[in-house]
Amino acid sequence: DIKGEDLSRVKDIVRSGESLLDILNDLLDISKLEAGKLELEDIPFSPLRVVEDVVSVMAPRAKEKNLAIASFVESSLPTVLVGDPNRVRQILLNLVSNAVKFTHAGAVTIAISNRGERYGKTYLDMAVSDTGEGISDEARKKLFSPYAQGSVEVARKYGGTGLGLSICRFLADALGGEISLDSTVGVGSTFHLFITLPAGDVSGSP
């Protein structure tokens, strides 16, 4: 059995490995995106399942920090949508990962709402909210730029590549959507992914 100090060292090694893998994945993704070599799928998927996957992945990290993590999917949302579930999931994972990283007390919430339907397409607002430190107006100006972080202090304290939000922006553009931010320093932040997707056949959803 692994106990005490040995267990702590194992956890440190695992975290270091995960951080390195995250960095490598970010670098690969940004290279593909900047080169215009991103391939998108167009398949039926369940938006509820995508959200559940994100919560399942991020719940252990949230638990380590004693944070609550919750999700809400509006009942009027189509059960099946058509698009690239992996890229939608990737954006949400990046946003939720950041929210957990920069939140020290309270909760992180994913909420998907239906902003309306027209010509068989659904206008979605995928929002990730936190009760973290908030983001200043000055930091917002460079937040979505590659390799940029909110401040030198943030980079030193939290590490990372500064590519996560840039990747989210690239992916949102590729999906025909956009990302916006509402934030109040000392209160928290909400990132919105606005995207439009057609409804799909319930029988064909993965």
Side-chain angles (χ1 to χ4, degrees):
D1 292 341
I2 302 176
K3 296 181 180 180
E5 187 176 342
D6 289 337
L7 179 58
S8 178
R9 289 176 180 172
V10 170
K11 288 182 177 179
D12 287 341
I13 292 171
V14 171
R15 289 193 189 97
S16 296
E18 289 176 343
S19 296
L20 179 58
L21 184 59
D22 288 343
I23 290 171
L24 291 173
N25 286 335
D26 282 351
L27 292 172
L28 288 171
D29 280 339
I30 201 70
S31 297
K32 289 180 182 178
L33 290 164
E34 290 180 338
K37 294 182 178 179
L38 180 70
E39 295 183 3
L40 296 176
E41 289 189 298
D42 200 28
I43 61 175
F45 70 94
S46 162
L48 176 59
R49 183 171 299 177
V50 167
V51 172
E52 289 175 341
D53 288 346
V54 172
V55 171
S56 177
V57 169
M58 295 307 306
R61 295 189 192 182
K63 186 177 181 180
E64 284 182 1
K65 299 185 68 174
N66 293 317
L67 300 175
I69 184 166
S71 62
F72 303 93
V73 177
E74 193 171 312
S75 60
S76 64
L77 201 69
T79 306
V80 177
L81 297 170
V82 177
D84 192 325
N86 291 323
R87 296 307 179 180
V88 172
R89 187 183 296 108
Q90 185 177 359
I91 294 173
L92 292 178
L93 275 171
N94 261 313
L95 295 178
V96 175
S97 179
N98 272 355
V100 171
K101 181 188 293 186
F102 296 110
T103 302
H104 304 296
V108 173
T109 304
I110 309 170
I112 301 185
S113 56
N114 185 344
R115 297 195 301 149
E117 298 178 19
R118 191 177 182 185
Y119 303 124
K121 293 187 175 182
T122 301
Y123 294 75
L124 304 169
D125 176 3
M126 297 184 170
V128 175
S129 304
D130 65 60
T131 54
E133 302 169 0
I135 300 169
S136 68
D137 290 339
E138 184 64 28
R140 291 190 204 192
K141 295 176 183 178
K142 56 183 179 181
L143 203 59
F144 291 97
S145 300
Y147 305 102
Q149 292 178 317
S151 68
V152 174
E153 290 77 12
V154 167
R156 182 173 59 249
K157 183 176 181 181
Y158 296 99
T161 59
L163 289 172
L165 290 178
S166 179
I167 289 171
C168 286
R169 188 201 65 191
F170 271 115
L171 289 174
D173 288 346
L175 293 169
E178 62 179 352
I179 286 183
S180 70
L181 167 65
D182 298 320
S183 186
T184 302
V185 175
V187 177
S189 304
T190 299
F191 285 87
H192 296 270
L193 168 63
F194 296 112
I195 190 172
T196 304
L197 297 172
D201 182 0
V202 176
S203 62
S205 126

